[in-house]
């Protein structure tokens, strides 16, 4: 294992947000280094149980040891959280008290150059969270069409210069395959105007984000799984989602809206007390990290947390 550590984001807020019942059943969909999972497990009695999903098999042994040092009432499911509903059904779990998502990559992945997530370190173009998966960033960059690349950069990266970058990728790979993160960074730098290269934000940030989302199918995983998690909640149960970019946050916001807005017939006079609400937003406003948290953990700077409760 590397010396890298992952500092959990919004840890106190997420634990408070889950409103943990000691005998309850909880799911951490994104175990990672088990920072949040450890705090959940510490609050459970012998009757409670914690299920943890993690699709990166390299991370699991370290996190299993960490959790085993606290208690034994946990189960690690080494899979994509898109399988939440099916796995819980197989395990006979029909209702849960809380589900947590702390999205994106862990520092345990991001800081390991060889994983290819970082535009600061030279490495093969990989970006797979699950190294058993076949599709990698290399495949997308070298085999997707110009239109597909432009669409990925525009949609998942909200990149203004998607067309220019896609065009240069296609021209470059005609001579030889684009194999490394630094070759891709170089292409981005040559494709954007000088003022973008002078900005604080790294010019390749959006392209790397877009590729990561595409390689790992991140948005679809979230949308499917969050809906399933919400339908698993028992009375008073909560879903807590920490997201790191606007595309993820939009999915969370829209999904929560779908469950919290009661369907009211337009042409009937309806009194407030007749409206049946099944879910509520625990916080009207999105929860963000404090300046103090951001100063000690830069990864926290774009975090947003939203909580839903089943009534
Ligand atoms: C930000 S980290 C979680 C960190 C963790 N909360 C902690 O404090 O240590 C996100 C983790 O979720 C995993 N992950 C992301 N998407 C996943 C998915 N669809 N299914 C299962 N695990 C996923 C990643 O591999 C990564 O380890």
């Amino acid at each position: 294992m590397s010396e890298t550590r992952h500092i959990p984001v919004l840890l106190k807020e997420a634990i408070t947000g889950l409103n943990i019942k000691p005998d309850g059943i909880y799911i951490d969909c994104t175990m990672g280094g088990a920072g949040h999972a450890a705090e959940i497990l510490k609050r459970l009695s012998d009757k409670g149980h914690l299920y943890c999903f993690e699709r990166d098999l390299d991370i699991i042994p370290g996190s299993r040891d960490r959790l085993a040092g606290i208690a034994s009432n946990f189960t690690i499911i080494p899979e994509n959280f898109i399988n939440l509903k099916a796995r819980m059904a197989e395990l006979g779990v029909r209702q849960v008290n809380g589900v947590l998502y702390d999205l994106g990559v862990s520092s345990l992945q991001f800081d390991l150059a060889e994983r290819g997530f970082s535009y600061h370190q030279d490495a093969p173009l990989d970006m797979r969270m699950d190294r058993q998966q076949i599709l990698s960033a290399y495949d997308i960059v070298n085999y997707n069409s110009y239109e597909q690349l432009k669409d990925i950069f525009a949609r998942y990266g909200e990149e203004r210069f998607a067309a220019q970058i896609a065009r240069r990728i296609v021209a470059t790979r005609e001579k030889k395959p684009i194999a490394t993160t630094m070759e891709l960074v170089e292409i981005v730098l040559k494709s954007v105007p000088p003022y973008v290269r002078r900005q604080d934000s790294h010019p390749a940030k959006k392209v790397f984000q877009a590729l990561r989302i595409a390689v790992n199918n991140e948005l679809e995983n979230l949308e499917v799984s969050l809906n399933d998690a919400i339908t698993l909640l028992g009375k008073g149960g909560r879903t807590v989602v920490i997201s790191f970019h606007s595309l993820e946050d939009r999915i969370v916001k829209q999904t929560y809206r779908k469950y919290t807005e009661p369907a009211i017939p337009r042409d009937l006079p309806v009194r407030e007390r007749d409206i049946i609400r099944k879910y509520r937003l625990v916080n009207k406003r999105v929860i963000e990290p404090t300046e103090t948290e951001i100063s000690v953990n830069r990864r926290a700077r774009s975090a947003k947390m939203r909580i839903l409760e089943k009534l």
Side-chain angles (χ1 to χ4, degrees), residues 118-150:
S118 169
Y119 38 78
H120 290 302
Q121 312 190 68
D122 200 13
L125 270 178
D126 188 337
M127 301 195 195
R128 290 168 302 163
M129 287 184 187
D130 168 2
R131 290 214 255 190
Q132 320 280 86
Q133 179 182 303
I134 294 172
L135 182 78
S136 70
Y138 179 94
D139 301 315
I140 295 182
V141 167
N142 287 289
Y143 302 120
N144 277 27
S145 66
Y146 161 78
E147 285 298 337
Q148 288 171 325
L149 287 171
K150 190 177 78 166

Side-chain angles (χ1 to χ4, degrees), residues 253-305:
K253 208 160 85 178
Q254 287 171 354
T255 306
Y256 280 8
R257 188 177 300 144
K258 189 171 81 185
Y259 289 91
T260 50
E261 277 184 356
I264 305 169
R266 284 217 182 144
D267 44 356
L268 289 179
V270 182
R271 292 166 305 180
E272 177 64 24
R273 64 172 192 264
D274 295 332
I275 299 173
I276 298 169
R277 291 178 199 275
K278 294 190 175 157
Y279 298 89
R280 76 174 179 106
L281 292 178
V282 173
N283 302 81
K284 290 277 175 278
R285 286 173 64 85
V286 68
I287 298 164
E288 291 177 326
T290 59
E291 287 303 321
T292 316
E293 174 166 2
I294 296 169
S295 69
V296 292
N297 186 9
R298 259 183 71 73
R299 221 183 69 80
R301 70 194 182 284
S302 52
K304 289 191 162 49
M305 187 171 95

Side-chain angles (χ1 to χ4, degrees), residues 43-85:
R43 287 163 175 78
L44 296 183
S45 74
D46 295 347
K47 290 190 201 135
H49 201 90
L50 172 65
Y51 294 92
C52 300
F53 281 82
E54 175 54 60
R55 73 193 295 199
D56 185 338
L57 305 187
D58 296 358
I59 285 183
I60 292 178
S63 303
R64 177 177 287 122
D65 289 349
R66 181 172 185 184
L67 293 177
I70 298 169
S72 59
N73 45 332
F74 69 91
T75 305
I76 295 176
I77 303 167
E79 279 186 47
N80 191 324
F81 60 58
I82 200 167
N83 300 327
L84 174 84
K85 190 172 163 186

Side-chain angles (χ1 to χ4, degrees), residues 18-21 24-28 40 44 49-51 97-98:
L18 281 168
N19 194 22
I20 297 174
K21 309 222 171 6
I25 296 176
Y26 290 86
I27 305 174
D28 182 347
I40 298 171
L44 296 183
H49 201 90
L50 172 65
Y51 294 92
N97 299 87

Side-chain angles (χ1 to χ4, degrees), residues 6-9 11 28-37 53-56 59 63 66 77-82 100-109 115 129-130 216-218 221-222 242 244 299:
H6 176 94
I7 309 173
V9 172
L11 178 60
D28 182 347
C29 277
T30 50
M31 176 177 68
H36 291 90
F53 281 82
E54 175 54 60
R55 73 193 295 199
D56 185 338
I59 285 183
S63 303
R66 181 172 185 184
I77 303 167
E79 279 186 47
N80 191 324
F81 60 58
I82 200 167
L100 172 70
Y101 296 82
D102 173 21
L103 299 165
V105 285
S106 158
S107 304
L108 303 175
Q109 298 161 319
R115 303 297 298 263
M129 287 184 187
D130 168 2
N216 298 292
N217 199 22
E218 292 180 31
N221 289 337
L222 174 61
I242 304 169
F244 290 88
R299 221 183 69 80

